[in-house]
DNA sequence: ATTGAAATCGGCCTAGC
DNA sequence: GCTAGGCCGATTTCAAT
């Protein structure tokens, strides 16, 4: 498994700026042929670096309500659970889970009833505190920097290096630091499958 | 200018989920022809609702450093300025500007030197306070809800209704509540142009 | 219906064993 | 020398207008 090189990053940058740019166009920029670009993009998808293709919608033109930033103090053991519940709310756009047990979400509430919104997903009684702030503006500026691949082995949690391998099981993508971790994982996976 | 209807919203939702879905496919879902879908998407771009097409990159697979959530207390008169400066930093992904004069940014810092990062963009001495928190997870779940168009007249700041009109000047898109606001604006614009 | 882009295929070249 | 992986050019298929 190769790491990302400058060409990959350049392709990513071009795609982030405009995912409809023809491959031939990208190819010129990175000095490759169109099929080569196609191959690399496929690979980026396979790796899970590119999750998919979307449209950038200007939320500020769509009145769905009032944009707010909500911070919830959550017992550290339950942050993931609370964050997941909030994430699935229609009104919630961004979910941040901090290491110190806070969950910060950016949402758009229709009638200003924030607690009503939160109440659908979490038990407010069990939170340490809730802070709601009105948003004046929210912006998203995707960046890449000098990004390199940083994968964790699904079997042993080590860092995956160039020797690593990947596989897709049941639509989910898994990365491994070596072939034996992969086979171990696959065997365990199959045992669980047949057991269920 | 027509408001968004259910078909537009449905198309948007389908595009958000997968912008590479063929128009014929979308057409089936919304019970239209492919060219009709094409027309609507063009219109959504013209309106500025669709800002563009991008790729969804899984930042968690790209190690550019440590993800943090930073909150800056800023004098209310300077929040926009500070937010804008931070937004343009390569490491900054999300910028939130709250109504009560705080700026919250989500960034990825390479060597853990957050203050060094901030120092590039803002005068730390002039801030009320800075709070930095390590992020465990950040997620983005785009939603649309029952969104309707909510445009503000560039001339008189009134809400733009179905009678409104739009125009593009120097690549920037402007919306107006009525024809006279549009002409007024255009005249003023031209005067400024020739003056400069 | 026309235009043009993207996926595919076979062959070539290079690096690593 | 052999293998694997990456790239290219031509072709075919399919989407956009």
């Amino acid at each position: 498994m190769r790491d990302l090189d400058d060409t990959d990053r350049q392709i990513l940058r071009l795609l982030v700026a405009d995912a409809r740019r023809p491959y031939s166009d990208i190819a010129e920029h990175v000095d490759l042929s169109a099929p080569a670009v196609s191959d690399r993009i496929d690979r980026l998808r396979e790796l899970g670096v590119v999750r998919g293709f979307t449209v950038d919608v200007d939320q500020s033109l769509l009145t769905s309500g009032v944009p707010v930033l909500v911070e919830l103090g959550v017992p550290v053991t339950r942050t993931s659970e609370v964050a997941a519940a909030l994430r699935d709310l229609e009104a919630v756009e961004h979910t941040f889970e901090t290491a110190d047990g806070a969950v910060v979400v950016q949402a758009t509430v229709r009638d200003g009833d924030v607690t009503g919104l939160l109440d659908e997903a979490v038990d407010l009684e069990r939170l340490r505190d809730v802070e709601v702030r009105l948003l004046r503006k929210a912006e998203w500026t995707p960046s890449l920097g000098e990004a390199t691949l940083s994968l964790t082995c699904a079997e042993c949690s080590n860092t995956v290096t160039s020797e690593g391998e990947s596989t897709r099981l049941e639509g989910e993508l898994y990365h491994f630091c070596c072939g034996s971790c992969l086979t171990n994982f696959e065997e365990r996976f199959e045992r669980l499958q047949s057991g269920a």
Side-chain angles (χ1 to χ4, degrees), chain A residues 18-190:
Chain A
D18 177 11
R20 288 213 154 174
R21 197 189 296 264
Y23 286 5
S24 54
D25 199 293
I26 299 175
E28 259 186 53
H29 274 83
V30 301
D31 213 30
L32 282 177
S33 72
V37 171
S38 172
D39 285 351
R40 281 187 182 243
I41 295 177
D42 284 351
R43 188 170 151 273
L44 289 170
R45 297 197 75 162
E46 269 310 300
L47 280 171
V49 173
V50 167
R51 269 193 290 236
F53 293 78
T54 25
V55 285
D56 178 9
V57 173
D58 187 344
Q59 298 284 355
S60 71
L61 294 185
L62 301 177
T63 172
S64 332
V66 184
V68 291
L69 198 66
V70 184
E71 177 170 342
L72 306 97
V74 183
V76 202
T77 50
R78 296 181 57 239
T79 48
S80 300
E81 173 199 334
V82 169
L86 289 167
R87 176 188 6 106
D88 295 333
L89 290 177
E90 170 82 353
V92 172
E93 258 175 72
H94 294 286
T95 318
F96 302 104
E97 217 181 304
T98 74
D100 61 337
V103 175
V104 177
V105 300
Q106 192 252 301
T108 311
V109 294
R110 195 169 311 286
D111 43 13
D113 182 18
V114 181
T115 41
L117 170 80
L118 298 176
D119 208 33
E120 293 173 30
V122 297
D123 184 356
L124 292 175
E125 299 296 320
R126 299 177 63 185
L127 299 179
R128 276 187 281 111
D129 60 297
V130 179
E131 188 189 342
V132 179
R133 280 183 302 183
L134 199 59
L135 274 181
R136 192 193 293 173
K137 201 171 186 186
E139 284 188 285
W140 175 57
T141 43
S143 63
L144 284 174
E146 290 305 304
T148 57
L149 222 40
S150 123
L151 307 172
T152 310
C153 178
E155 180 72 15
C156 71
S157 298
N158 281 332
T159 301
V160 176
T161 68
S162 348
E163 277 81 47
E165 301 181 24
S166 304
T167 191
R168 196 178 283 275
L169 297 169
E170 304 269 302
E172 268 301 302
L173 191 65
Y174 301 93
H175 303 281
F176 304 92
C177 63
C178 59
S180 55
C181 269
L182 191 155
T183 41
N184 283 345
F185 188 90
E186 278 182 330
E187 277 168 22
R188 201 147 38 80
F189 193 91
E190 276 172 33

Side-chain angles (χ1 to χ4, degrees), chain A residues 3-13 49 142-150:
Chain A
D3 201 346
L4 298 191
D5 60 15
D6 281 340
T7 305
D8 291 313
R9 281 188 285 273
Q10 183 69 3
I11 291 173
L12 277 176
R13 243 173 256 124
V49 173
S143 63
L144 284 174
E146 290 305 304
T148 57
L149 222 40
S150 123

